[in-house]
C-alpha cells in the first residue's frame, strides 16, 4: 500500500495542476506552438507558428515566431521586429495595458522578451526604455534587470544604488541579480 501512495499523490498533483495554473488565452494551436517554444523545440514551434500565420494574423504565433528567430536561430533583428509586432497587435486589440488579466500575462511576456532581445543586441538605452514601459503598467518594478544595462552605459552609481537596494531581498533570484547585475 505504501508503494502506491507516491503514485496516487503524483496523480492528484497532475490532475489539479491545470486548475491551479493560470491559463493563457489563445487557441489550442497557438498554445501548442508556445509550449513547443517553451520546451526549446524551435523547429516545431516555427512550423506550428507558420501554419497558424498561414491561416491569418495571430499575435501569439507572431510572438512565437519572433522568439524562435531570437532564441533558436540567432536572428535578433527579425526576432525584435516580430516581438514588437506581436506587442503592437496585442495593444491594438486589448489596450495598453490590456484590461483582461489573462492578456496582461501575454503583455508581460512579450515585454520581457523584448527587453532581453534588446540587451543581447547591446541596445541598452532601448532596453531601459522597455523596462520603463513595463514598470509603467506592472508591479513590482524590474529594477534589478536595470543593473547590467546601466553598467554597460557607464552609469555605475545608478547600477550600484539598485544593487545595494536589493542585496538583502528575500528572493534568491533577485539577490543574485543584485550581486551580479
Amino acid at each position: 500500500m505504501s508503494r502506491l501512495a507516491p503514485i496516487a499523490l503524483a496523480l492528484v498533483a497532475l490532475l489539479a495542476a491545470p486548475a491551479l495554473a493560470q491559463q493563457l488565452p489563445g487557441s489550442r494551436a497557438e498554445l501548442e506552438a508556445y509550449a513547443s517554444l517553451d520546451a526549446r523545440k524551435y523547429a516545431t514551434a516555427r512550423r506550428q507558428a507558420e501554419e497558424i500565420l498561414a491561416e491569418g494574423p495571430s499575435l501569439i504565433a507572431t510572438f512565437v515566431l519572433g522568439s524562435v528567430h531570437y532564441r533558436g536561430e540567432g536572428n535578433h533583428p527579425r526576432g525584435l521586429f516580430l516581438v514588437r509586432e506581436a506587442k503592437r497587435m496585442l495593444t491594438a486589440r486589448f489596450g495598453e495595458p490590456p484590461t483582461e488579466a489573462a492578456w496582461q500575462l501575454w503583455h508581460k511576456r512579450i515585454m520581457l522578451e523584448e527587453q532581453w532581445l534588446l540587451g543581447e543586441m547591446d541596445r541598452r538605452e532601448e532596453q531601459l526604455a522597455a523596462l520603463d514601459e513595463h514598470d509603467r503598467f506592472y508591479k513590482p518594478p524590474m529594477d534589478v534587470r536595470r543593473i547590467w544595462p546601466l553598467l554597460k552605459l557607464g552609469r555605475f552609481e545608478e547600477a550600484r544604488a539598485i544593487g545595494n537596494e536589493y542585496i538583502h531581498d528575500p528572493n534568491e533570484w533577485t539577490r543574485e541579480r543584485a550581486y551580479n547585475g
Side-chain angles (χ1 to χ4, degrees):
M1 184 81 167
S2 64
R3 291 186 327 175
L4 296 177
I7 294 170
L9 184 59
L11 183 60
V12 168
L14 284 173
L15 293 174
L20 297 174
Q22 284 186 305
Q23 297 296 313
L24 290 171
S27 71
R28 180 181 176 129
E30 289 170 328
L31 296 177
E32 286 174 358
Y34 181 73
S36 295
L37 173 69
D38 199 46
R40 298 183 177 150
K41 296 179 179 178
Y42 300 120
T44 302
R46 176 190 255 283
R47 180 184 47 75
Q48 291 168 320
E50 287 174 342
E51 287 173 1
I52 294 164
L53 291 169
E55 295 176 13
S58 162
L59 72 94
I60 296 169
T62 301
F63 171 74
V64 168
L65 189 57
S67 295
V68 166
H69 278 286
Y70 157 50
R71 296 187 211 175
E73 299 174 4
N75 187 346
H76 290 57
R78 184 70 179 154
L80 180 61
F81 171 80
L82 290 169
V83 167
R84 285 181 167 170
E85 178 63 11
K87 183 170 73 172
R88 185 201 62 75
M89 293 167 76
L90 184 139
T91 57
R93 184 170 171 195
F94 297 104
E96 186 174 45
T99 54
E100 296 177 42
W103 286 105
Q104 287 178 3
L105 293 173
W106 275 117
H107 192 227
K108 291 176 189 179
R109 286 170 195 244
I110 291 169
M111 288 194 302
L112 184 61
E113 191 83 350
E114 179 184 20
Q115 82 78 35
W116 278 118
L117 233 165
L118 290 165
E120 285 200 18
M121 295 175 77
D122 209 25
R123 293 165 68 170
R124 302 304 175 174
E125 291 289 352
E126 288 179 76
Q127 184 181 14
L128 290 171
L131 292 167
D132 288 341
E133 179 183 21
H134 172 276
D135 293 352
R136 215 172 47 241
F137 302 124
Y138 303 109
K139 301 296 178 219
M142 291 207 266
D143 290 338
V144 292
R145 293 184 191 273
R146 296 175 185 284
I147 295 171
W148 189 247
L150 288 169
L151 287 171
K152 295 289 277 186
L153 290 168
R155 294 162 58 181
F156 304 114
E157 292 306 314
E158 289 175 75
R160 186 175 294 118
I162 293 170
N164 287 336
E165 183 179 342
Y166 287 96
I167 57 173
H168 300 294
D169 195 272
N171 182 287
E172 182 180 344
W173 185 90
T174 301
R175 266 193 328 276
E176 184 179 315
R177 296 286 83 64
Y179 278 113
N180 299 311

